[in-house]
Amino acid sequence: QLKESGGGMVQSGDSLTISCKVSGRTPDHVAVAWLRQVPGKERKGVSCISSDGETRYVDSVKGRFTVSRDYAENMVFLQMNNLNPEDTGVYYCAADETYSHCPTYVGGSGYEYDFWGQGTQVTVSS
């Protein structure tokens, strides 16, 4: 099971960190992805962290977003800096017990993940 928290409304240039609580049999053995959905558009991945801590990002967030995980607390974090209105959306964390490593390209729709959180809204105003 996955549960996001920490969304909110911020202004351009602000920072925000969202969290994902990962529970299950082996929460530290799965890769965890972050995906974003904007109304009327397909859900798209933005970042992923593997079970060994390797991280991946889509180009639009590289240098601004940082994904990390706390193995002791089974938490995954997405720190988002220098936010802009294009970062607005519902952010989901997702995982699948068969994947311990992130895909090479993390900007897909996430169809490969079986477990999803309920999402947390991030709104960035200009």
Side-chain angles (χ1 to χ4, degrees), residues 1-124:
Q1 292 183 345
L2 302 165
K3 183 175 177 61
E4 304 91 342
S5 62
M9 183 177 295
V10 297
Q11 295 185 333
S12 288
D14 285 352
S15 298
L16 188 68
T17 298
I18 55 178
S19 305
C20 175
K21 176 69 173 178
V22 185
S23 59
R25 289 182 299 174
T26 54
D28 56 336
H29 289 182
V30 297
V32 177
W34 285 100
L35 300 97
R36 175 174 64 213
Q37 186 159 30
V38 178
K41 295 187 177 181
E42 185 181 19
R43 187 164 48 199
K44 292 289 188 181
V46 296
S47 181
C48 180
I49 185 165
S50 297
S51 60
D52 61 1
E54 181 186 19
T55 58
R56 294 186 184 272
Y57 305 91
V58 293
D59 287 345
S60 62
V61 306
K62 280 181 181 177
R64 300 190 299 121
F65 288 15
T66 301
V67 60
S68 60
R69 64 194 303 166
D70 181 331
Y71 293 94
E73 298 295 330
N74 294 326
M75 296 289 294
V76 175
F77 305 98
L78 186 66
Q79 180 182 347
M80 304 179 288
N81 297 328
N82 193 23
L83 285 160
N84 60 65
E86 288 70 39
D87 297 317
T88 294
V90 178
Y91 284 72
Y92 298 88
C93 56
D96 189 280
E97 290 185 337
T98 60
Y99 298 117
S100 62
H101 291 279
C102 298
T104 301
Y105 175 64
V106 296
S109 61
Y111 69 91
E112 65 269 37
Y113 301 112
D114 283 344
F115 297 99
W116 293 78
Q118 82 287 352
T120 186
Q121 176 71 46
V122 174
T123 303
V124 185

